Amino acid sequence: MHKMTKSALLLGCFLLAACSTSQPVRNLAANQVNFTLNEEQVGNAILNGGLSKGWVMKKEQPGLIRGQLNVRQHQAVINIPYTAHDYSINYVSSINLDDNGKGAIHRSYNRWINGLNQAIQIELSRTSHQ
């Protein structure tokens, strides 16, 4: 019986760990632009990719776009610095995404960033074929 209690307790701990919604914040640094495009074309592809995924995108200055995604009561804010050769997606802030101030955030944030990056890559490819 004692072994059974320990096993049940250990199993409970594993299940709790598996249910955790926090993951390390994912920044995507220096994503290569594998097409011959100018900086304006890359910026437009980033804007269009973000808009296609529901992000509010704003060109802050040449070479920098700020993105904001609002999903129900949750908000994520990112910066996307870019050149004609590469771009990065960097976490800025969030609301109701369990940001613990130590580099962990709700797993949905990373899923949104991955989706945004895929959309940007599609737009870059589309732009290169025009």
Side-chain angles (χ1 to χ4, degrees):
M1 188 78 156
H2 185 54
K3 284 184 181 181
M4 189 79 143
T5 305
K6 281 185 179 180
S7 296
L9 184 59
L10 189 58
L11 178 62
C13 288
F14 283 130
L15 288 174
L16 279 175
C19 293
S20 174
T21 61
S22 292
Q23 295 179 344
V25 172
R26 183 154 190 219
N27 287 316
L28 301 178
N31 293 284
Q32 294 298 311
V33 174
N34 296 318
F35 307 100
T36 304
L37 302 172
N38 62 40
E39 188 172 304
E40 182 180 355
Q41 289 172 310
V42 171
N44 288 335
I46 292 168
L47 290 169
N48 291 332
L51 293 172
S52 76
K53 289 295 189 177
W55 288 80
V56 176
M57 306 295 272
K58 182 181 177 194
K59 195 174 224 179
E60 293 287 306
Q61 63 189 43
L64 179 65
I65 292 172
R66 169 136 318 172
Q68 179 177 315
L69 182 65
N70 298 301
V71 178
R72 295 177 302 279
Q73 305 88 3
H74 310 288
Q75 180 184 84
V77 179
I78 57 172
N79 278 340
I80 307 175
Y82 64 93
T83 67
H85 308 289
D86 64 14
Y87 66 93
S88 299
I89 301 175
N90 301 317
Y91 174 82
V92 173
S93 65
S94 64
I95 297 173
N96 292 329
L97 285 174
D98 303 332
D99 176 3
N100 68 0
K102 297 178 185 173
I105 197 164
H106 194 281
R107 64 180 172 233
S108 292
Y109 170 81
N110 289 334
R111 191 175 66 246
W112 297 336
I113 294 304
N114 287 334
L116 172 62
N117 191 48
Q118 289 173 351
I120 291 169
Q121 289 295 322
I122 289 168
E123 288 298 323
L124 289 169
S125 177
R126 184 175 296 150
T127 300
S128 74
H129 291 96
Q130 291 178 349

